[in-house]
Amino acid sequence: MTLAVHVPEELSARVPVEQRGPGLERDAVRMLVSRGAEVAHHTFRELPLLLRAGDLLMVNTSATLAAAVDGWTGHTRVVVHFSTRGDDGRWAVELREPDGRGTTRARAGGPAGREVCLPGGVGLVLEEPLSRRGERLWWARVSGAGVPGLLREYGRPIRYAYTERDQPLSAYQTVFALPSADGTGSAEMPSAARPFTARLVAELVSRGVLFAPVALHTGVASAEAHEPPYPERFSVPEASARLIEAARAGGGRVVAVGTTAVRAVESAVGADGAVRARAGWTDLVVTPERGVRVVDGLLTGLHEPEASHLLMLEAVAGRVAVERGYGAALQGRYLWHEFGDVHLVLPGVRP
């Protein structure tokens, strides 16, 4: 899906909301609310008023990694973005070129056998492209140290050119983030959950809203080409599967916090339509043709008009709702990207 809209550069959120003025917290972002073709404007702090007892929020507990590391290939400086750990110990990586402003631009990744020198005496060798779709991401073998330790010691969060300056890793962690035992996580923040604060979570719980944790470790997005998502590692625990099924049976609405949560839970649906515990890799791409089988609503950020995430949003909300919502977001000067405002899509009937 593409939208015939242009997002002005000034609508990119350049810093987190809590840095835009005194007394602001993460939940001070604006929230566009779509119910069918109806659009309303709120702040995120009003979320408890828009949900009801028995509704369930699916949240991604994947922690964000400091996934960008400086390196050299020959005499050329590069930045390596570590994307996804494979089952064989290799990592999918993207080689980027420093742009002189603290961010990076795309560059060719190959050929196979290219060596990259990383800090701490760590070496990396490109072996093969991750996909036949292109050569942006490569499987690479790392020697000299474990990648989780390398990222902790020398890494920084992946940052794109629309942001104003580097931020600490804490700015890219959500309140739901949990470190994994093997040190893996998300190359880019599951940003739909960023506006949640502990106080807001407590208020939602006190009102009878349920939370079901899932995990999906997001890989490096394509900032330039807006490619469909690659296979990603996910987990839907047994307790969460039971919570989701209980909420559905009781008439509660299942609202995914982020497209990552949609991909995870929709990958755990059986042929009978029931959600069961499942873990592994998912290559599911949710489109309007495929539809959604579990999710009733979605809380998500604002995506570029060419982004594949819009296909998922259309699958949940319908094309008319997406078009009207994005039109209202542009007219209302909402902010885009991971530090920006959010869009809540609910079923057409009011709570």
Side-chain angles (χ1 to χ4, degrees):
M1 178 183 183
T2 58
L3 294 175
V5 298
H6 169 69
V7 181
E9 186 177 345
E10 63 267 21
L11 294 187
S12 294
R14 302 194 181 280
V15 296
V17 64
E18 60 270 25
Q19 297 177 17
R20 296 178 206 151
L24 296 178
E25 296 186 35
R26 290 185 175 205
D27 58 7
V29 297
R30 301 168 69 193
M31 181 169 63
L32 186 76
V33 179
S34 293
R35 297 184 184 90
E38 178 186 343
V39 177
H41 302 276
H42 295 268
T43 65
F44 191 75
R45 289 173 181 163
E46 296 175 281
L47 180 64
L49 304 178
L50 300 169
L51 300 177
R52 60 193 182 208
D55 286 346
L56 180 140
L57 293 172
M58 292 186 304
V59 296
N60 187 358
T61 60
S62 180
T64 308
L65 301 174
V69 180
D70 293 324
W72 293 84
T73 176
H75 298 288
T76 302
R77 283 189 61 202
V78 294
V79 177
V80 179
H81 287 177
F82 284 84
S83 181
T84 305
R85 182 181 64 83
D87 293 334
D88 58 1
R90 296 187 300 175
W91 279 76
V93 302
E94 179 183 19
L95 266 58
R96 306 274 296 183
E97 180 180 324
D99 62 4
R101 300 188 300 273
T103 53
T104 61
R105 52 179 169 253
R107 56 157 289 155
R114 180 185 294 275
E115 298 181 1
V116 181
C117 295
L118 298 173
V122 176
L124 179 151
V125 178
L126 301 182
E127 292 191 348
E128 60 181 331
L130 179 68
S131 168
R132 295 178 181 176
R133 295 201 301 255
E135 297 191 357
R136 183 176 66 89
L137 290 172
W138 283 69
W139 285 117
R141 187 77 62 179
V142 179
S143 61
V147 171
L150 173 74
L151 301 186
R152 284 193 299 270
E153 182 73 18
Y154 299 105
R156 62 185 180 275
I158 290 174
R159 174 188 159 209
Y160 291 115
Y162 50 76
T163 55
E164 184 176 292
R165 56 182 177 268
D166 286 345
Q167 298 288 340
L169 184 59
S170 59
Y172 291 88
Q173 302 293 9
T174 75
V175 72
F176 305 109
L178 295 172
S180 61
D182 61 2
T184 56
S186 287
E188 298 183 3
M189 172 175 53
S191 56
R194 191 183 190 279
F196 283 90
T197 62
R199 179 184 60 193
L200 188 66
V201 171
E203 182 178 352
L204 288 162
V205 170
S206 72
R207 290 174 174 266
V209 176
L210 306 171
F211 285 83
V214 300
L216 186 136
H217 299 313
T218 64
V220 175
S222 170
E224 291 83 19
H226 304 294
E227 302 159 344
Y230 289 93
E232 294 168 317
R233 194 187 299 271
F234 81 104
S235 172
V236 176
E238 177 67 32
S240 293
R242 291 183 180 182
L243 276 171
I244 293 166
E245 286 302 300
R248 298 172 74 190
R253 297 170 298 182
V254 176
V255 179
V257 178
T259 57
T260 60
V262 177
R263 197 181 199 199
V265 75
E266 292 289 333
S267 299
V269 181
D272 59 356
V275 178
R276 294 182 177 85
R278 189 177 172 194
W281 292 86
T282 177
D283 59 2
L284 176 66
V285 178
V286 177
T287 64
E289 292 73 25
R290 188 267 185 191
V292 288
R293 303 173 67 184
V294 178
V295 174
D296 301 306
L298 173 61
L299 175 71
T300 184
L302 293 164
H303 303 287
E304 293 290 348
E306 303 87 0
S308 61
H309 295 296
L310 291 181
L311 292 172
M312 181 183 291
L313 190 56
E314 184 181 354
V316 176
R319 188 176 184 94
V320 171
V322 176
E323 289 176 340
R324 293 196 179 182
Y326 270 65
L330 286 168
Q331 186 175 11
R333 308 289 291 176
Y334 279 67
L335 295 180
W336 258 248
H337 302 303
E338 66 266 30
F339 295 138
D341 299 315
V342 292
H343 186 192
L344 175 64
V345 174
L346 293 173
V349 179
R350 285 183 176 273

